[in-house]
Amino acid sequence: MTRNHTPKSLAVLLRARMHPDALPSSPSQLSPTPPTDPDPAAPPAASVRHWLHAAASATSPPPATLDSFSDGYRSLDRVGRREVLRSLATDYDVPRARVRDLMRQYMSVASAAAIGVDGAEAEEGKEGAAAALYRMERGLREALRPRYAGFLEAMNAQPGGLKLLAVLRADLLALLGEENAPALRALDSYLKEKLVTWLSPAALTLHQITWDDPASLLEKIVAYEAVHPIRNLIDLKRRLGVGRRCFGYFHPAIPGEPLIFIEVALHKDMAASIQEVLWDEPPTPESEASCALFYAISSTQPGLSGINLGKFLLKRVIDMLRRDMPSVQIFATLSPIPGFMQWLRAKLASQMKLAETESQEGNSLEGASSTFRESILLPDEEKMIHDAIEQAHGKQGIELLQDILKTSQWVKSEKLSAALKSPLMRLCARYLAREKIRGKALDAVANFHLQNGAVSEPSQIQF
């Protein structure tokens, strides 16, 4: 196209290129209508894929079709579910052929509009070009939406659909652990984004779980407690009784089952160990409590991994306790540190390896290896460990510490426990406060609490 085109001819050209008949039909329009029922002789996964195709190809999937998919998917074994997930991620992805066609048309129209024209009717031509581009951009946005988007949204609106989507994402996360395929990652990213929206705090109900709740709910609390297992009904009743609180977040689409729940102990002061909380007999009178200890938080749905419901649950519970119990002024967490021993053992092993390399190769690598050498133990700590070991056999302190930590027998020895208390406390403080990964605490539990408002007091940490 050249500058010799008039504004009217430019507008006619743009309208012609934007005519609906000139655009390729979307894949959903081209998909053949599947038969009413799958082949009875087909494998179970093939039948589920049939219902998936029927639901994903329809503008408004019939509830019966979604139910058939849901029932069929739940009945599949691990291999069958993964076959369906691969099909969902690849066969119902973004229709890239249509996107390419629309992009070519868009670039052609944009180039023509950029040339411009002179004359009295120039403004009319510009408005026509702008309107055409807006329509094409709207079409591009729609085309860039994956075909499984409508299926996922329809399933969420279906009774029991949200729970099915949580199961589906749990299976997807397990598959991603073995097959890090781009299509699977894209499906997980999209589904997680939708779940964050569907599970917004405004859609959730906070409920205090008590001994008077239905037995089916209490059974789920026992089954899902992931931090400190509930041993029996007496233990459960203690955790729901005087001086204790248990709160859960519920969604109306998954009735009778908390998505996440948190356990709280009311004390006069901060507890020094979990044993003080679990075996607090008799419990602190609630009228004397000034500290709320959050000692366990458990998610019941593996498919909601990465969706931070705990952050909102903590804030809601703290607000409720402040309102109902003004005497409670301290809010603290009492949590395990699951990654500390693994980190410490790896640190000791690396330092031992460097020391071995230096002794074998003399001073030739002294400059390079000394860069990575560090004093894990302070002189006083090393002496205390040597004094606690009757037969050190000339080993260094880190060698002795490495040997001691290979088992948990040292906790039964008062002498060893006293010798290890200082170095383990100091190294644990370093692990929590200084060891980072992408700017966040290396320990997952510590990162959760620090991200949700917990504070590590530098004045109480010694290095």
Side-chain angles (χ1 to χ4, degrees):
M1 182 174 180
T2 68
R3 289 185 178 270
N4 294 328
H5 285 81
T6 65
K8 187 174 292 185
S9 66
L10 174 62
V12 170
L13 176 61
L14 294 175
R15 284 195 295 270
R17 285 178 172 165
M18 280 305 299
H19 194 278
D21 295 339
L23 297 179
S25 300
S26 65
S28 60
Q29 295 171 331
L30 296 176
S31 302
T33 302
T36 304
D37 293 307
D39 183 357
S47 298
V48 176
R49 290 180 63 181
H50 163 90
W51 294 119
L52 171 61
H53 180 75
S57 301
T59 305
S60 298
T65 301
L66 295 171
D67 284 339
S68 296
F69 172 84
S70 180
D71 294 341
Y73 185 84
R74 291 178 185 276
S75 68
L76 292 177
D77 59 12
R78 176 171 171 269
V79 175
R81 289 188 177 190
R82 292 189 169 192
E83 180 182 333
V84 173
L85 288 173
R86 293 187 191 97
S87 175
L88 178 62
T90 57
D91 298 338
Y92 303 94
D93 198 359
V94 173
R96 290 182 176 80
R98 175 173 168 76
V99 172
R100 284 192 295 268
D101 289 340
L102 288 173
M103 288 179 66
R104 280 194 292 267
Q105 294 184 43
Y106 181 83
M107 294 305 298
S108 176
V109 172
S111 298
I115 294 175
V117 293
D118 299 324
E121 299 180 351
E123 289 301 321
E124 179 183 349
K126 290 180 180 179
E127 291 181 3
L133 291 174
Y134 282 129
R135 286 194 297 272
M136 298 194 81
E137 288 161 358
R138 185 167 59 248
L140 272 169
R141 283 194 296 271
E142 180 63 27
L144 286 168
R145 189 170 179 255
R147 290 180 60 199
Y148 50 65
F151 164 73
L152 297 177
E153 291 169 1
M155 182 60 72
N156 175 61
Q158 182 81 353
L162 181 60
K163 180 64 179 289
L164 186 278
L165 292 177
V167 172
L168 189 147
R169 184 165 183 259
D171 295 337
L172 180 59
L173 291 173
L175 178 57
L176 275 169
E178 301 177 16
E179 301 177 18
N180 194 20
L184 294 173
R185 290 201 307 270
L187 173 60
D188 174 61
S189 177
Y190 187 88
L191 180 53
K192 178 183 176 182
E193 181 181 323
K194 301 306 291 185
L195 286 171
V196 169
T197 301
W198 296 330
L199 297 174
S200 66
L204 302 177
T205 302
L206 180 65
H207 172 69
Q208 181 179 344
I209 300 166
T210 69
W211 183 252
D212 296 327
D213 276 310
S216 58
L217 172 57
L218 299 183
E219 288 173 359
K220 289 183 174 65
I221 297 300
V222 174
Y224 288 128
E225 164 58 85
V227 184
H228 304 292
I230 299 173
R231 291 175 293 278
N232 48 46
L233 287 178
I234 296 176
D235 189 12
L236 175 63
K237 193 169 185 178
R238 181 188 296 110
R239 298 193 193 194
L240 301 177
V242 177
R244 299 291 183 271
R245 296 289 188 275
C246 183
F247 297 93
Y249 251 158
F250 292 76
H251 192 282
I254 308 180
E257 183 173 352
L259 302 180
I260 188 172
F261 61 92
I262 192 168
E263 297 171 72
V264 189
L266 302 173
H267 278 228
K268 290 182 180 180
D269 301 296
M270 289 181 60
S273 68
I274 187 61
Q275 286 73 24
E276 293 183 34
V277 174
L278 297 180
W279 301 107
D280 183 22
E281 291 289 351
T284 301
E286 295 190 1
S287 60
E288 300 177 11
S290 62
C291 177
L293 284 170
F294 301 93
Y295 65 94
I297 185 167
S298 302
S299 175
T300 67
Q301 308 295 324
L304 302 185
S305 175
I307 300 174
N308 196 355
L309 298 178
K311 172 182 178 180
F312 301 107
L313 177 60
L314 275 168
K315 291 181 178 179
R316 287 283 303 276
V317 170
I318 289 174
D319 288 342
M320 179 177 288
L321 291 174
R322 278 177 171 161
R323 183 193 65 201
D324 297 343
M325 304 186 70
S327 62
V328 175
Q329 298 294 320
I330 301 173
F331 299 89
T333 63
L334 191 62
S335 302
I337 310 173
F340 172 58
M341 292 306 294
Q342 180 182 359
W343 169 83
L344 181 55
R345 290 192 183 103
K347 183 68 69 175
L348 291 171
S350 66
Q351 292 302 306
M352 291 291 297
K353 185 68 175 178
L354 286 171
E356 182 182 349
T357 301
E358 286 184 358
S359 64
Q360 289 178 351
E361 303 189 19
N363 297 326
S364 60
L365 295 177
E366 183 177 354
S369 60
S370 62
T371 303
F372 301 99
R373 286 294 301 274
E374 56 180 313
S375 299
I376 300 294
L377 296 173
L378 300 178
D380 291 345
E381 295 169 346
E382 188 163 355
K383 183 177 184 303
M384 290 178 64
I385 293 175
H386 271 101
D387 293 343
I389 302 294
E390 296 179 359
Q391 297 179 346
H393 301 294
K395 292 184 177 181
Q396 298 180 5
I398 59 173
E399 292 181 86
L400 295 174
L401 182 58
Q402 186 181 45
D403 292 340
I404 294 170
L405 296 180
K406 287 179 179 178
T407 70
S408 59
Q409 294 300 311
W410 62 271
V411 299
K412 300 177 182 179
S413 168
E414 292 185 7
K415 192 174 183 180
L416 278 176
S417 296
L420 295 184
K421 181 177 180 179
S422 175
L424 289 183
M425 290 289 286
R426 180 181 57 81
L427 291 168
C428 187
R430 165 187 164 177
Y431 171 71
L432 294 175
R434 290 189 176 178
E435 298 298 323
K436 307 288 185 181
I437 179 170
R438 292 189 289 273
K440 297 181 179 180
L442 182 61
D443 188 82
V445 174
N447 182 66
F448 170 80
H449 290 300
L450 292 171
Q451 291 291 311
N452 293 330
V455 177
S456 178
E457 295 289 348
S459 60
Q460 299 178 2
I461 299 174
Q462 297 179 358
F463 296 98

